[in-house]
Amino acid sequence: MPDRDTAETALEELSARRPDLGDLELVRDSLAGEDDAEDAQWLVVLEAPEDSGWTAEQLAALDSFATEHDGWREED
């Protein structure tokens, strides 16, 4: 997400919509090769519950949610 306020808002909304995701984490991540602190992005980190895999529909919903907050979804 582009800034902390946006990331915090997204984290709160996602926590309210999907309490089954447990504790979500807010992380600041500098872009590779960037020295300027303003170039850091904010991440909302979540993990799928182990007992349930992500369906294509759930992943699409997360993509839409991230886009609404000027972000995107990545998998590691």
Side-chain angles (χ1 to χ4, degrees):
M1 313 248 161
D3 57 60
R4 184 181 184 125
D5 289 340
T6 301
E8 287 177 343
T9 298
L11 184 143
E12 291 172 7
E13 287 180 24
L14 190 56
S15 292
R17 289 185 194 183
R18 295 288 310 269
D20 60 312
L21 295 176
D23 292 330
L24 305 180
E25 185 179 1
L26 188 63
V27 176
R28 187 172 187 195
D29 185 39
S30 297
L31 298 174
E34 295 293 335
D35 295 330
D36 190 350
E38 291 181 22
D39 290 326
Q41 296 181 338
W42 289 89
L43 311 175
V44 176
V45 180
L46 60 100
E47 294 185 30
E50 289 188 30
D51 58 343
S52 66
W54 292 96
T55 66
E57 185 176 274
Q58 289 170 319
L59 293 175
L62 284 175
D63 286 335
S64 293
F65 180 83
T67 301
E68 289 172 21
H69 294 86
D70 298 324
W72 63 91
R73 181 182 60 85
E74 291 183 6
E75 294 182 39
D76 62 356

